[in-house]
Amino acid sequence: MKNYLFELKEGLIISLRAIFSNKIRSVLTTLGIVIGVSAVVLMSSAVQGIDKSFQDGVSSMGSDNLYIDKWQWFSNDVPWWEMRNRKNLQVEDFEKYKKLAKLPIAVAPTVWVNYSVEYEDKTAQYIVITGTNADYIATTNMEFSDGRFFTELESNSSRNVVVVGYEIAKRIFPYDNGLGKEVKIKGKKFKVVGILDKQGSEMMGDFNPDNQVFVPIGCIYKYYLRESERSITINVRAPNSTMVDEVTEEAYGIMRKVRGLAYNEVNDFSINRQDGILSQINETVGVIQIAGFAITGLSLFVGAIGIMNIMFVSVKERTKEIGVRKAIGAKKRTILTQFIAEASIICLLGGLIGLGIAVVGTLMIQQNTEFPIVFQYNAVLLAVSISLLTGVLSGFAPAFVASNMDPVDALRYE
């Protein structure tokens, strides 16, 4: 064991000397690994960030929710033209459902339009204006940075009050919180009664609550839409996650009655659930992950091929040295260890540089963009492991060739 440790130490010293005596070649050799490792770590952080953002977005909607809608959101079971031809869900349907439903803890209608929100000289364009009632807040996990949601009285009397999402408030009220101010939506004034806290759901796009404003549903029909123009969505919240199936089954039965369907008629509505949303999210994140790791894997493979070629060149250059060492008694395993160690050290240095670049890149993205990237501390272990594995694999073939050289032929090599 002592002999082996001594041989290992000597091999590492010789490897380090060889690396530092060929500085430019060593730096160029590590470039492939630097690029590969930094790409792997950045990709891992980006995928984790995207996944977290999606999960936060779904969480802000409420994890025990289901949505009764004209459209089926995440399935191709029903052709789109059939869904298009379904009659719209109306507020009257919501009221009948609410009266008959016994299991949900909260039920609310929603309908949306798309307009600009203005305050003085500031404008947020193409914003989703969601009309709903006072019960909507109980169907979500949304929190407020200031103010409140509109009351039942304000909702029932269709008062011009508005709750503003975090990102919209940041754009139109850059210097104060805007509570109590009046904003204009297509020329109509609304008093701000609440401003939402950040929901952390950037990947939901326009339907991120941060990018929406909420008004009483009566205001939508008073100013912007005829009730028959657009189908509503009925947001339903189950008492807990174990009762979602029961609430769904009850909803199917009630809505068939509300819609006047005979026993042999197919449903002319859909019930969309959180598990369907999560399944779609996981599928999307999975595709991104596979594509990302395929690209970074290719980068590492190219880097490993480059290191293998350089190591073969190094073996050729040091043939006489290998011959001398074998002639004075160096064992095969000593030569093998030396060259594998050299390749591994080069890869490890490249991996650490790549990790440093990835950390700096992550911090820059976090500070200068809205992209939801999250640095993973286990990326350090990932970077080191990938570097060492690449070094061992790419260094093995040249090391094997070196360890099997005939000392006489090696000494005669010019």
Side-chain angles (χ1 to χ4, degrees):
M1 185 66 180
K2 278 186 178 180
N3 286 340
Y4 180 72
L5 290 174
F6 177 76
E7 289 171 3
L8 181 61
K9 185 183 83 170
E10 287 298 307
L12 287 171
I13 291 169
I14 294 169
S15 298
L16 288 169
R17 283 177 185 160
I19 290 168
F20 287 108
S21 64
N22 295 282
K23 294 183 184 67
I24 294 176
R25 187 171 73 183
S26 299
V27 169
L28 293 174
T29 305
T30 61
L31 277 179
I33 301 302
V34 169
I35 294 167
V37 168
S38 54
V40 167
V41 174
L42 282 170
M43 180 57 62
S44 173
S45 299
V47 169
Q48 291 295 325
I50 291 168
D51 188 47
K52 183 178 183 300
S53 185
F54 273 132
Q55 300 294 341
D56 287 348
V58 172
S59 176
S60 73
M61 295 164 65
S63 58
D64 308 322
N65 280 16
L66 51 101
Y67 306 90
I68 304 170
D69 203 295
K70 173 181 176 177
W71 303 91
Q72 192 164 327
W73 296 353
F74 299 113
S75 176
N76 296 321
D77 294 346
V78 183
W80 69 270
W81 59 86
E82 285 188 20
M83 289 189 282
R84 182 194 61 188
N85 292 332
R86 291 171 173 177
K87 62 182 180 180
N88 289 341
L89 285 168
Q90 304 290 339
V91 173
E92 183 184 354
D93 296 326
F94 156 74
E95 289 169 349
K96 288 178 182 177
Y97 170 78
K98 183 178 180 181
K99 185 177 179 181
L100 294 171
K102 305 299 181 189
L103 297 178
I105 58 170
V107 182
T110 59
V111 68
W112 62 273
V113 290
N114 218 250
Y115 290 114
S116 297
V117 180
E118 301 172 7
Y119 175 70
E120 295 180 346
D121 60 339
K122 304 289 190 302
T123 302
Q125 295 184 320
Y126 309 115
I127 303 304
V128 173
I129 318 296
T130 300
T132 185
N133 67 11
D135 293 329
Y136 178 78
I137 194 65
T139 68
T140 74
N141 292 330
M142 295 192 305
E143 296 179 352
F144 289 81
S145 60
D146 287 287
R148 56 175 175 81
F149 208 68
F150 40 80
T151 64
E152 188 172 357
L153 177 62
E154 289 168 332
S155 173
N156 292 344
S157 58
S158 302
R159 290 189 186 172
N160 287 22
V161 291
V162 62
V163 173
V164 181
Y166 175 84
E167 292 294 338
I168 308 303
K170 199 165 70 170
R171 285 156 65 183
I172 63 175
F173 306 121
Y175 307 116
D176 54 35
N177 64 20
L179 200 64
K181 302 288 195 302
E182 283 191 340
V183 299
K184 285 185 180 180
I185 303 173
K186 203 186 177 187
K188 303 297 180 183
K189 291 182 178 179
F190 288 80
K191 182 181 178 182
V192 178
V193 296
I195 295 178
L196 294 175
D197 204 355
K198 188 170 179 60
Q199 304 302 309
S201 48
E202 294 90 344
M203 300 306 292
M204 296 175 70
D206 289 342
F207 288 92
N208 168 11
D210 294 345
N211 293 321
Q212 294 185 44
V213 300
F214 300 85
V215 300
I217 194 168
C219 293
I220 297 289
Y221 296 131
K222 186 163 59 172
Y223 300 128
Y224 310 120
L225 276 180
R226 291 194 305 275
E227 195 170 330
S228 58
E229 274 187 80
R230 183 167 293 168
S231 183
I232 68 165
T233 299
I234 303 174
N235 292 24
V236 181
R237 189 162 197 175
N240 53 62
S241 56
T242 61
M243 291 189 66
V244 171
D245 288 338
E246 291 176 61
V247 175
T248 303
E249 287 303 313
E250 182 193 57
Y252 273 117
I254 292 171
M255 288 307 298
R256 286 185 64 83
K257 186 184 294 186
V258 167
R259 304 283 270 182
L261 298 174
Y263 75 93
N264 58 347
E265 290 182 293
V266 297
N267 293 330
D268 62 352
F269 61 92
S270 294
I271 297 181
N272 302 290
R273 289 173 40 164
Q274 294 286 43
D275 50 10
I277 299 172
L278 289 171
S279 174
Q280 187 72 16
I281 288 170
N282 291 335
E283 189 177 315
T284 303
V285 170
V287 170
I288 295 170
Q289 202 164 23
I290 290 168
F293 284 121
I295 294 167
T296 52
L298 182 61
S299 175
L300 283 170
F301 178 73
V302 171
I305 294 296
I307 288 173
M308 190 181 296
N309 286 335
I310 294 297
M311 291 304 296
F312 272 121
V313 170
S314 181
V315 168
K316 284 290 182 188
E317 285 179 349
R318 291 151 64 188
T319 300
K320 271 198 171 181
E321 174 200 317
I322 294 166
V324 170
R325 294 188 66 204
K326 295 196 80 172
I328 60 175
K331 297 177 182 177
K332 279 187 178 183
R333 73 180 185 190
T334 308
I335 305 297
L336 188 72
T337 301
Q338 175 193 330
F339 282 93
I340 289 178
E342 190 172 324
S344 298
I345 290 168
I346 289 172
C347 286
L348 185 58
L349 288 172
L352 293 175
I353 294 168
L355 179 62
I357 292 170
V359 171
V360 172
T362 301
L363 292 174
M364 289 179 65
I365 292 169
Q366 285 176 336
Q367 290 175 6
N368 299 303
T369 73
E370 293 294 325
F371 190 84
I373 192 167
V374 177
F375 181 72
Q376 301 292 301
Y377 290 100
N378 59 9
V380 176
L381 181 61
L382 178 68
V384 171
S385 301
I386 287 173
S387 303
L388 286 175
L389 182 62
T390 305
V392 171
L393 293 177
S394 60
F396 183 79
F400 184 79
V401 170
S403 66
N404 283 283
M405 279 185 179
D406 183 274
V408 176
D409 291 337
L411 287 167
R412 282 195 305 224
Y413 181 78
E414 292 296 335

